[in-house]
Amino acid sequence: MKILAIESSCDDTSAAVVEDGRKVISCKVASQIKDHQIYGGVVPEVASRKHIENISPLVKKTIEEANCSFKTIDALAVTYAPGLVGSLLVGVNFAKGLALGTGLPLVPVHHIKSHIASLYLSNPDLKPPFLCLVVSGGHSNIIEVKDYTKFKILGRTRDDAAGEAFDKVGRRLGLAYPGGVMLDKISENGNPDSFKLPVPLSGEDTYDFSFSGIKTAMINIINNYNQKNLELPINDLAASFRKSVVDCLVSNFLRAAKENGYRTLGIAGGVSANSLLRRELNEKCRSLHYNFYEPKLNFCGDNAAMVGSQAYYEFLSGKRASMNLNARAAMPIDGD
Ligand code: KG4
Ligand code: ZN
């Protein structure tokens, strides 16, 4: 079964054709990073306008590259929540137009569920149940994937998402948006033990995360250096911050796995590209004899291939969008 999927939840426009939830026939992404870099972050209105420009030619190219036509595509899928409403609306409206014009069924897809499905594209043997750490620019969750369409959140961020914290600190270190990518790179040349940062929620019996305390401590250190006109040791600062964030993610995730009886673990979302997070989890899971899965690097960030994967399982479970499908800024993963 071939699904044409569309993703426009934030600042990437993407379209893909995916077969039976696992095989990517074609996937194209139009990144807007350059359009937002001058502002230091995503400007929602600019994002919506770029989606409008990009979406038609991108979908056309994706179908051509897949050697498909609407006669050989079986269903359509689109991300409808959560995300920037103005961005989501572009994809939702475009997909509804296609569904009307072609008569194909339309499957609405939840953004976080699709990030989890990015694991199916890279790991043919992975099947639920497993425990997933979803870390992106907007979310940091520990999620029980009970089945392809059944989820339960065990832990969530109480303030900033991990990617958001990386981006904000990256900006204060003078790195280009999105700061997380560059911060990860320069951390490789820094000493992670140079700065002592607070350990959030220590002593609390929770799987939740909190990154605002570490972020504020970093900003105070940076301000201190700036006030004294001292050169920022950016590699050491980045490495210390990255280690603190990764330590929180890894320790809560492994504790949640142990206490809830999971021996199969996966990571997903933009921050799952982080090299320290990958190294730490690979090493720790190997020594604990856990099965550990990660998406290929090109499927960590927002893309429509993961939407096509999740849509396949949603389609099998009977999910269909009606013609009054709307975009939603927020939507719990176990609420739609
Ligand atoms: O999943 P994603 O593409 O968009 C959202 O759904 O939010 O995630 C984007 C986030 C950004 O905050 C970006 O800085 C972060 O993922 N990111 C990274 C790395 N690559 C991307 N954060 C840390 N290390 C990386 N290597
Ligand atoms: Zn995302």
Side-chain angles (χ1 to χ4, degrees), residues 7 9 111-112 115 136-137 139 269-270 300-302 306:
E7 151 68 33
S9 65
H111 186 58
I112 307 300
H115 268 302
S136 70
H139 304 270
C300 290
D302 293 343
M306 66 188 195

Side-chain angles (χ1 to χ4, degrees), residues 132-151:
C132 194
L133 174 70
V134 184
V135 269
S136 70
H139 304 270
S140 303
N141 292 134
I142 296 173
I143 298 172
E144 285 186 89
V145 184
K146 292 171 175 278
D147 205 339
Y148 289 104
T149 58
K150 205 162 165 241
F151 308 85

Side-chain angles (χ1 to χ4, degrees), residues 261-280:
Y262 283 92
R263 302 184 65 82
T264 301
L265 274 58
I267 51 170
V271 182
S272 69
N274 187 272
S275 38
L276 181 64
L277 182 63
R278 286 183 168 232
R279 270 202 306 272
E280 289 275 308

Side-chain angles (χ1 to χ4, degrees), residues 4-163:
L4 169 65
I6 291 170
E7 151 68 33
S8 69
S9 65
C10 188
D11 61 340
D12 290 309
T13 324
S14 181
V17 176
V18 180
E19 191 167 2
D20 296 338
R22 299 273 177 169
K23 189 173 165 206
V24 183
I25 302 185
S26 69
C27 178
K28 302 204 80 63
V29 182
S31 166
Q32 300 180 9
I33 284 183
K34 286 207 166 64
D35 301 293
H36 299 285
Q37 231 155 25
I38 47 166
Y39 306 107
V42 177
V43 181
E45 189 188 323
V46 174
S48 309
R49 288 172 184 275
K50 292 309 284 185
H51 285 308
I52 288 273
E53 274 173 36
N54 292 338
I55 199 158
S56 298
L58 195 80
V59 168
K60 190 164 176 278
K61 261 192 234 146
T62 305
I63 296 173
E64 280 166 9
E65 206 172 84
N67 253 326
C68 281
S69 73
F70 285 109
K71 288 205 179 76
T72 52
I73 284 167
D74 303 289
L76 305 166
V78 67
T79 310
Y80 77 102
L84 297 173
V85 165
S87 288
L88 288 164
L89 280 171
V90 176
V92 166
N93 220 20
F94 192 86
K96 279 163 69 169
L98 282 184
L100 264 178
T102 59
L104 290 169
L106 174 62
V107 183
V109 177
H110 187 285
H111 186 58
I112 307 300
K113 294 182 190 177
S114 68
H115 268 302
I116 294 170
S118 68
L119 286 162
Y120 306 138
L121 299 171
S122 313
N123 304 283
D125 60 319
L126 176 64
K127 291 185 180 76
F130 59 94
L131 193 68
C132 194
L133 174 70
V134 184
V135 269
S136 70
H139 304 270
S140 303
N141 292 134
I142 296 173
I143 298 172
E144 285 186 89
V145 184
K146 292 171 175 278
D147 205 339
Y148 289 104
T149 58
K150 205 162 165 241
F151 308 85
K152 186 178 169 204
I153 294 192
L154 295 185
R156 50 171 55 81
T157 183
R158 295 192 184 171
D159 37 61
D160 289 358

